[in-house]
């Protein structure tokens, strides 16, 4: 069943598990993830990068996600990931998103609060809750790492914007890590205690399992996986024989590969068996 971002995250925070948020790109990634969630009785978030809405792809993908989420017997949210501004947010809402992320994390604190607060008000008009980001989670290809999220700033950010979930910079990055990251678990715990809302861990692909578990223990209730969704799908695509021509048959194995990947992460996050 399709539910909102806040509704799906609050039980996770209470129950000390995290909801996996998988970036999806096509029918096959949606199918593999849906089958994994259904089989393991886990809540799940399908999320779509802002770029797909900016490049006219979100309109094709959204109906597929919406129908899948509605049909599932487990709770599922449809989320805009790293919303770049009002235009992307409006497009995602128009296409049925039940959660919105606005990423103004490259702006100075005041600007981030102003932009995020504005989007929270806008989405509030249609009853959709918002994830914000404070401290910038960059890319594994960046020259240097951004500073970690400050506890006092996080408290102010959450109070003044009204976000329902907070993405924090505690040492992760987007993409394939060159060497394993070292997460700031104590800082996450302090932020969590100060803000009282679920924290979000971006850059989940490649984070060692013990650090993911520790982050959940410290207040993370949503973990994002993008790169490894792509890799599980693509690795399989390149293995399927060129003799298979019919695309639906060609895609059978990649769907199963995405499903196996999603099942592994659902179990890691302790999200299985919660519904
Ligand atoms: P990865 O691509 O590193 O898994 O990060 C995903 C993410 O944070 C999506 O917002
Ligand atoms: Zn991210």
């Amino acid at each position: 069943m399709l539910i909102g971002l806040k509704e799906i995250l609050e039980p996770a925070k209470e129950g000390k598990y995290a909801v996996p948020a998988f970036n999806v790109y096509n029918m096959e990634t949606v199918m593999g993830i849906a089958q994994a969630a259904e089989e393991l009785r886990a809540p799940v978030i399908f999320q779509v990068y802002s770029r797909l809405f900016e490049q006219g792809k979100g309109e094709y993908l959204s109906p597929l996600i919406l129908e899948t989420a509605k049909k599932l017997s487990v709770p599922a949210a449809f989320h805009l990931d790293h919303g770049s501004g009002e235009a992307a947010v409006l497009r995602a809402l128009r296409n049925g998103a039940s959660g919105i992320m606005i990423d103004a994390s490259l702006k100075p604190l005041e600007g981030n609060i102003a932009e995020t607060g504005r989007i929270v008000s806008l989405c509030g008009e249609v009853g959709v809750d918002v994830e914000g980001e404070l401290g910038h989670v960059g890319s594994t290809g960046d020259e240097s790492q951004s500073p970690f999220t400050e506890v006092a700033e996080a408290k102010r950010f959450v109070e003044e914007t009204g976000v329902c979930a907070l993405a924090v910079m505690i040492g992760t990055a987007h993409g394939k890590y060159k060497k394993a990251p070292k997460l700031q678990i104590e800082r996450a715990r302090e932020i969590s205690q100060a803000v009282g809302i679920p924290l979000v861990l971006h850059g989940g692909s490649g984070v060692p399992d013990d650090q993911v578990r520790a982050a959940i223990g410290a207040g993370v209730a949503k973990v994002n996986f993008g790169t490894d969704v792509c890799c599980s799908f693509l690795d399989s695509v390149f293995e399927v024989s060129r003799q298979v021509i019919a695309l639906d048959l060609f895609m059978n194995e990649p769907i199963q590969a995405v499903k196996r990947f999603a099942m592994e992460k659902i179990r890691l996050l302790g999200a299985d068996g919660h519904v």
Side-chain angles (χ1 to χ4, degrees):
M1 74 227 54
L2 178 71
I3 69 169
L5 182 67
K6 191 173 173 176
E7 282 173 277
I8 208 166
L9 292 185
E10 297 229 306
K13 182 170 161 30
E14 285 291 300
K16 291 256 176 225
Y17 63 94
V19 181
F22 296 109
N23 288 78
V24 291
Y25 300 81
N26 57 9
M27 181 176 86
E28 290 74 15
T29 47
V30 173
M31 285 177 73
I33 289 159
Q35 289 172 16
E38 188 78 53
E39 201 164 309
L40 292 181
R41 313 300 308 147
V44 68
I45 297 171
F46 298 95
Q47 57 185 17
V48 175
Y49 274 120
S50 197
R51 180 180 75 232
L52 278 80
F53 283 103
E54 286 147 34
Q55 297 182 352
K57 295 169 183 161
E59 278 73 15
Y60 291 92
L61 192 52
S62 298
L64 192 73
I65 297 171
L66 265 185
E67 281 311 303
T68 306
K70 285 181 192 161
K71 268 208 283 286
L72 281 175
S73 68
V74 294
F78 168 23
H79 190 58
L80 170 69
D81 193 27
H82 290 285
S84 57
E86 193 173 303
V89 168
L90 287 175
R91 286 203 185 111
L93 290 174
R94 174 82 175 86
N95 281 277
S98 67
I100 292 290
M101 177 190 186
I102 177 72
D103 180 358
S105 64
L106 280 172
K107 289 190 159 75
L109 179 64
E110 301 292 335
N112 190 351
I113 289 177
E115 169 77 347
T116 304
R118 206 167 59 78
I119 297 296
V120 170
S121 307
L122 182 73
C123 294
E125 294 292 337
V126 288
V128 173
D129 289 305
V130 176
E131 170 188 345
E133 177 166 326
L134 181 68
H136 178 65
V137 181
S139 145
T140 53
D142 292 348
E143 298 267 295
S144 60
Q145 223 182 30
S146 292
F148 301 126
T149 306
E150 293 285 346
V151 180
E153 288 187 2
K155 188 170 186 315
R156 185 180 157 206
F157 182 86
V158 169
E159 281 169 3
E160 294 187 15
T161 59
V163 291
C164 80
L166 180 67
V168 286
M169 171 51 186
I170 53 165
T172 55
H174 297 95
K176 268 193 181 303
Y177 293 100
K178 293 181 194 102
K179 69 177 186 19
K182 169 109 190 52
L183 303 199
Q184 304 294 302
I185 300 298
E186 279 320 305
R187 186 174 293 241
R189 201 183 314 280
E190 285 169 29
I191 297 170
S192 171
Q193 277 160 4
V195 301
I197 60 169
L199 302 185
V200 182
L201 189 70
H202 282 247
S205 300
V207 178
D209 289 0
D210 58 334
Q211 293 197 49
V212 172
R213 285 193 206 97
I216 295 169
V220 164
K222 172 176 183 272
V223 181
N224 290 3
F225 300 100
T227 301
D228 280 351
V229 173
C230 297
C231 291
S232 65
F233 177 76
L234 285 175
D235 288 352
S236 173
V237 161
F238 289 119
E239 275 170 15
V240 178
S241 162
R242 291 293 304 263
Q243 304 303 314
V244 184
I245 302 292
L247 273 178
D248 61 320
L249 303 179
F250 184 96
M251 288 299 174
N252 281 344
E253 191 39 46
I255 293 169
Q256 291 309 305
V258 172
K259 179 181 175 185
R260 284 192 294 275
F261 164 75
M263 288 176 83
E264 184 192 315
K265 295 305 172 188
I266 287 169
R267 289 196 177 102
L268 170 64
L269 271 46
D272 49 317
H274 282 287
V275 277

